Amino acid sequence: MQQQGDRGQGRGGGRRLPIGVQTFREIRESGCYYVDKTPFIERLADGGKCFFLSRPRRFGKSLFVDTLKEAFEGNRKLFEGLVIHDSWDWSVCRPVLRLSFGGGIYGDRDGLRLNVLAQLDRVQRNTGVVSEYSTAPERFAHLLEQLHHSTGRRVVVLVDEYDKPILDVLDTPETAKANRDFLRGLYAAIKDADAHVRFVFLTGVSKFSKVSLFSGLNNLIDITLDPDYSTICGYTDGDLDTVFAAELEVLDRERIRRWYNGYNWCGPERVYNPFDVLLLFRNRRFGPYWFETGTPTFLVDLLIERGVSTPQLTRMTASERLLSVFDVGRIGTEALLFQTGYLTITAEIISGGRILYELDYPNLEVRMSLNDTLLAELVHDPVAAQTNTTRLIGLLDTNDIEGLHGLFHAFYASIPHQWYTRNDIDRFEGFYAAVFYSHFAASDLDIVVEDSTNHGRVDMTVHHNDRVYLFEFKIAGRSSPGPIPDRMRQRGYPDKYRHHARTVYLIGVEFDPDTRNITRFETTEIHASKPPQPE
């Protein structure tokens, strides 16, 4: 893995890949690729005063904050050739007070306070403005006032990763609450100094409720789900085809889309995580680059603790309010997965006058990696889980249906008895389905959960090598008698796929909680009436 700050040499006429670079000046002066985000700066400056943006980690938030800084400070030369260059008023150079919580240790009792005071000390040294206050909110407010008076221009306030001091210590709620309360007082100082402030921009991964953290900033405009700002961070398909055209040589363009494209915040275009794209261009091979930079342990633990079945992750629905419910001790599953980037918006639904959002994995990288991680945690044997996922693909390649039966029967039999003693039957049923599904989802297979047909929904559909496998899952004692594939055929489940595959397989899987294993694995093979149609 490339270290942060290392810049690989691209193939595009000597341009460099800005891997880990968060400084706009360095990108512009060292000949790095740059996707022009400056139109958003003008839109923000003309559209209000205080803004908030939430995006997952490594999406370019810090780079955009630094770009804002350079624009407001009037560094015109850095913007030559960019959209903003000929329309921005470069004669107005404003003082910028920037705070960043990307570094620092916030688990100590006094860690956050000392970090903020150190940052404010640096502002004093750089500007020559002095404040004698010893408490952070008062010093912050006084610096804003003095910077305004000394320069004659109102101040621009930029806060990057505003929520990291809280997120870093979520596993110790008392410290998290203390850090949240401290930050609430700090951010309230911005509102108190409103007469001295021209523009405010805060970024973070999570959107804490206004009541808990931004009670003082009641004029804060949240642009997280604003379609006009949906591509403010990340790369679009058009960006890859134009800015990075020289880097696409030899790489499968459609595979790039499937692996990395798909993030959406209610806009007309989906975007790529920049870190994934840049590492792909550097290494010339596909890999879970973003996922490997740090999936929080607490997220996996929380999903397991709440009994969230992995098939559920492909069909979650939430309102905008639910996606925004995030606070210490009160973290909604949907909000957590959406804000951290493991799920994204795939559709908007108007229901009863409310807007609901359908959520799903953004791309193959996240689906594979998250299921691989959850599967290892579910069965407490990551080596066996990975081995079985690899074997699963081989069995599908050779169309060995009976081998699939044997694979899962042996796998369930290997799960330690102690796991079952800690779970009731309802959790157990979800566990069974999750383990089965995650084996498929942790691989590069084309799968659909609860695939709709004219006659109902198939539990899981797998497309592979001109074949379609339809799975129906049942629990012993909770299903009707008779072969499960027969009921699938009677409901017309195969009809949707007859003209899209050479063969359709109906597979009924029944699991018995008493024996803790598969007791029925029934299959029916249906040959298509004609060859599959070209796409």
Side-chain angles (χ1 to χ4, degrees):
M1 177 66 69
Q2 188 164 357
Q3 298 299 312
Q4 179 160 337
D6 184 21
R7 298 179 301 281
Q9 185 68 45
R11 299 190 175 194
R15 288 195 180 185
R16 302 173 70 85
L17 299 168
I19 300 169
V21 182
Q22 301 175 356
T23 306
F24 181 69
R25 178 177 294 275
E26 182 178 353
I27 283 180
R28 298 294 288 167
E29 292 182 345
S30 62
C32 290
Y33 283 106
Y34 176 67
V35 173
D36 191 354
K37 301 293 184 179
T38 61
F40 294 108
I41 295 178
E42 289 189 290
R43 191 178 301 169
L44 288 166
D46 295 337
K49 184 172 184 177
C50 296
F51 296 92
F52 169 78
L53 175 72
S54 169
R55 286 293 186 269
R57 57 192 166 82
R58 289 196 176 275
F59 248 92
K61 300 186 297 297
S62 298
L63 175 59
F64 185 76
V65 168
D66 196 66
T67 309
L68 281 169
K69 169 187 172 294
E70 298 290 356
F72 277 109
E73 288 182 341
N75 294 315
R76 180 175 185 170
K77 185 174 178 58
L78 296 178
F79 293 86
E80 290 180 356
L82 302 180
V83 171
I84 200 175
H85 182 265
D86 295 331
S87 55
W88 187 256
D89 185 359
W90 299 105
S91 66
V92 179
C93 302
R94 295 191 176 275
V96 176
L97 196 161
R98 179 178 178 180
L99 297 177
S100 176
F101 296 104
I105 299 174
Y106 305 112
D108 296 342
R109 180 178 179 180
D110 223 20
L112 176 58
R113 184 183 71 86
L114 294 175
N115 178 283
V116 172
L117 290 176
Q119 293 196 61
L120 296 179
D121 284 344
R122 185 167 58 250
V123 173
Q124 293 184 187
R125 290 194 303 271
N126 293 340
T127 62
V129 175
V130 178
S131 174
E132 301 298 334
Y133 288 98
S134 60
T135 52
E138 286 72 22
R139 183 185 293 189
F140 188 25
H142 188 244
L143 284 174
L144 292 174
E145 179 182 355
Q146 291 303 306
L147 282 170
H148 181 196
H149 290 328
S150 64
T151 63
R153 299 192 186 279
R154 289 185 295 161
V155 184
V156 171
V157 179
L158 306 175
V159 182
D160 194 20
E161 299 196 61
Y162 85 99
D163 53 349
K164 194 170 183 292
I166 307 172
L167 298 180
D168 279 2
V169 293
L170 279 178
D171 55 346
T172 54
E174 288 187 5
T175 304
K177 290 178 181 178
N179 287 353
R180 178 200 62 191
D181 294 342
F182 178 89
L183 290 173
R184 180 195 295 150
L186 187 70
Y187 300 143
I190 300 175
K191 177 64 175 177
D192 293 340
D194 183 70
H196 309 293
V197 174
R198 161 63 179 87
F199 181 86
V200 179
F201 192 77
L202 298 93
T203 76
V205 168
S206 304
K207 179 186 173 184
F208 281 83
S209 66
K210 284 189 177 182
V211 174
S212 69
L213 193 55
F214 295 124
S215 55
L217 276 175
N218 53 14
N219 60 338
L220 194 64
I221 300 172
D222 182 5
I223 61 171
T224 299
L225 295 182
D226 188 330
D228 289 338
Y229 296 96
S230 62
T231 60
I232 193 171
C233 292
Y235 299 155
T236 66
D237 252 330
D239 293 331
L240 264 66
D241 291 333
T242 55
V243 177
F244 295 101
E247 303 297 329
L248 296 174
E249 182 184 350
V250 185
L251 294 171
D252 184 330
R253 189 68 180 84
E254 188 53 43
R255 193 180 182 200
I256 296 175
R257 290 190 183 95
R258 190 166 180 237
W259 260 83
Y260 300 122
N261 195 17
Y263 291 96
N264 186 269
W265 287 273
C266 297
E269 292 185 90
R270 299 183 179 278
V271 297
Y272 298 79
N273 180 289
F275 190 73
D276 272 326
V277 171
L278 296 176
L279 265 294
L280 171 67
F281 290 157
R282 177 189 182 274
N283 298 335
R284 316 304 294 178
R285 65 176 182 270
F286 292 84
Y289 301 117
W290 173 79
F291 192 90
E292 289 179 346
T293 60
T295 298
T297 303
F298 84 88
L299 182 146
V300 175
D301 292 341
L302 193 65
L303 293 178
I304 299 296
E305 177 187 331
R306 293 182 179 180
V308 177
S309 178
T310 51
Q312 290 178 262
L313 299 179
T314 67
R315 58 178 186 273
M316 284 189 166
T317 303
S319 65
E320 182 172 355
R321 180 181 178 278
L322 187 58
L323 290 181
S324 303
V325 175
F326 199 101
D327 200 2
V328 181
R330 191 167 65 98
I331 304 174
T333 302
E334 295 86 351
L336 175 65
L337 290 166
F338 170 69
Q339 293 181 21
T340 52
Y342 297 97
L343 294 182
T344 196
I345 294 172
T346 55
E348 294 184 40
I349 305 170
I350 307 297
S351 177
R354 295 189 307 159
I355 299 179
L356 300 177
Y357 300 104
E358 287 186 357
L359 305 177
D360 201 346
Y361 302 113
N363 49 44
L364 184 61
E365 177 203 10
V366 176
R367 191 198 80 185
M368 287 175 57
S369 302
L370 184 57
N371 276 278
D372 191 42
T373 300
L374 287 169
L375 183 59
E377 184 65 23
L378 282 168
V379 301
H380 301 287
D381 191 345
V383 175
Q386 189 172 41
T387 300
N388 279 282
T389 298
T390 303
R391 287 185 58 202
L392 170 65
I393 298 172
L395 291 170
L396 289 175
D397 284 340
T398 59
N399 198 35
D400 187 350
I401 305 297
E402 192 53 40
L404 289 178
H405 181 194
L407 172 70
F408 281 100
H409 191 280
F411 186 74
Y412 282 112
S414 70
I415 296 174
H417 171 78
Q418 290 84 350
W419 194 99
Y420 300 101
T421 61
R422 298 194 299 269
N423 295 274
D424 57 33
I425 181 60
D426 292 327
R427 290 283 298 274
F428 185 64
E429 181 176 344
F431 164 76
Y432 149 68
V435 169
F436 201 100
Y437 163 79
S438 288
H439 273 89
F440 288 85
S443 60
D444 186 3
L445 291 170
D446 184 1
I447 63 175
V448 181
V449 176
E450 292 196 351
D451 196 8
S452 297
T453 72
N454 292 334
H455 308 281
R457 292 188 175 186
V458 183
D459 285 342
M460 187 172 76
T461 303
V462 179
H463 299 258
H464 191 67
N465 290 349
D466 291 335
R467 299 184 293 269
V468 175
Y469 304 87
L470 308 182
F471 291 89
E472 188 81 0
F473 304 123
K474 299 296 181 183
I475 297 294
R478 299 189 180 186
S479 60
S480 304
I484 300 173
D486 287 355
R487 296 199 296 274
M488 297 171 70
R489 187 199 291 266
Q490 291 166 7
R491 293 171 183 167
Y493 284 174
D495 297 346
K496 176 179 177 179
Y497 312 97
R498 288 179 185 271
H499 301 302
H500 299 280
R502 298 187 187 281
T503 311
V504 178
Y505 293 89
L506 309 180
I507 304 176
V509 185
E510 185 178 80
F511 197 80
D512 189 340
D514 294 328
T515 63
R516 299 166 185 154
N517 214 318
I518 295 172
T519 54
R520 296 167 66 188
F521 196 93
E522 303 166 334
T523 64
T524 294
E525 180 178 336
I526 299 175
H527 293 282
S529 55
K530 61 181 181 179
Q533 302 299 303
E535 305 214 353

